[in-house]
Amino acid sequence: SQTIHQWPATLVQPVGSPLSLECTVEGTSNPNLYWYRQAAGRGLQLLFYSIGIGQISSEVPQNLSASRPQDRQFILSSKKLLLSDSGFYLCAWSVPPRLNTEAFFGQGTRLTVV
Amino acid sequence: GNSVTQMEGPVTLSEEAFLTINCTYTATGYPSLFWYVQYPGEGLQLLLKATKADDKGSNKGFEATYRKETTSFHLEKGSVQVSDSAVYFCALGMDSSYKLIFGSGTRLLVRP
C-alpha cells in the first residue's frame, strides 16, 4: 500500500533562519507531488507541485522554494524565514497523469517562525 | 478560472442533528468533486468523491450528490456525532490540470 511521510511534525524557527521540510512517498512510482500551506483559520493554498524529478511548478511568488531530487521525495525550503511563513504545511501526492482522482495527504508540519 | 465556494463556518450543532455544508463550484469542463476532512492537528483525509453529474458519494454516513445544474456538491449527514467535529473541505479536480482546488474549509463543532 502507498504511504506518505512528512517531517518534522512541528518546528519552531527564528526569523532569518533556513528551512527544510521533507516529504517521501512509498508504494508508488512517478507520483504527482504537492506542497500546500494552511494559515491559521484559513483554507489551503497550493504552493508548489511536481509531475516528475526536477520539474517544479510554483503557484505563488514567495519566500519558499521546492525541489524534487528523487522520484518520491519532495522538499520545501527557504534560505531566510519570515514571520509570515508560519503555518501548517501539507505534502500530498496523487496518481498521474491528472488530478481527477483523489490526493493523499501527509500529517502536516506546523511551522512557527518567531 | 476554476474555483470552489463553501459556506462560512463555524457550524455548531447538537449531537444527532442534521448537517448540511454547502459547496458550489465554478469550472470550465467536467470536474471531479471531493470532500476532505481534517481532524485537529492532522492532515486531510478523503471523505467522499463523485466523478460525474448525478453521482452520489457516500462514506461514514456522509453523502454528497454532484449536481451539474446547480454546480453544487453539498455535504449532508442525517445524525452527527461529537467525533464528527473537524474542518471539512470541498475540492475539485480537472482532468486538464494537475491541481486540486480547495474551498476555504468549514469548521464543524458538534456538542454532546
Side-chain angles (χ1 to χ4, degrees), chain A residues 34-61:
Chain A
Y34 306 83
W35 279 111
Y36 286 86
R37 177 170 60 198
Q38 185 179 23
R42 302 180 68 177
L44 289 170
Q45 179 185 35
L46 178 62
L47 302 176
F48 301 95
Y49 68 92
S50 171
I51 62 172
I53 296 174
Q55 299 180 65
I56 308 295
S57 296
S58 175
E59 286 296 294
V60 294

Side-chain angles (χ1 to χ4, degrees), chain A residues 4 23-25 28 30-36 46 48-52 55-57 67-68 70-75 91-94, chain B residues 98:
Chain A
I4 178 168
C23 171
T24 59
V25 180
T28 188
N30 196 32
N32 294 334
L33 296 171
Y34 306 83
W35 279 111
Y36 286 86
L46 178 62
F48 301 95
Y49 68 92
S50 171
I51 62 172
Q55 299 180 65
I56 308 295
S57 296
S67 62
R68 184 171 178 173
Q70 300 181 43
D71 180 44
R72 290 170 290 177
Q73 184 184 29
F74 204 26
I75 298 172
C91 181
W93 72 274
S94 69
Chain B
Y98 295 103

Side-chain angles (χ1 to χ4, degrees), chain A residues 34 38 97-99 102-103, chain B residues 36 38 49 95 98-100:
Chain A
Y34 306 83
Q38 185 179 23
R98 293 289 186 261
L99 196 53
E102 63 262 35
Chain B
Y36 283 82
Q38 183 183 32
K49 68 177 183 180
D95 190 50
Y98 295 103
K99 297 181 287 186
L100 190 61

Side-chain angles (χ1 to χ4, degrees), chain B residues 23-81:
Chain B
C23 171
T24 58
Y25 68 90
T26 301
T28 53
Y30 304 97
S32 294
L33 300 173
F34 308 87
W35 276 102
Y36 283 82
V37 58
Q38 183 183 32
Y39 298 103
E42 298 185 6
L44 276 69
Q45 305 173 27
L46 180 69
L47 182 59
L48 53 85
K49 68 177 183 180
T51 58
K52 62 182 186 295
D54 300 324
D55 270 2
K56 177 185 284 187
S58 62
N59 185 27
K60 300 180 180 180
F62 290 90
E63 293 183 341
T65 301
Y66 187 162
R67 301 287 188 199
K68 183 181 175 184
E69 63 276 14
T70 55
T71 63
S72 64
F73 193 54
H74 304 322
L75 182 68
E76 296 181 336
K77 187 175 185 182
S79 176
V80 293
Q81 305 300 313

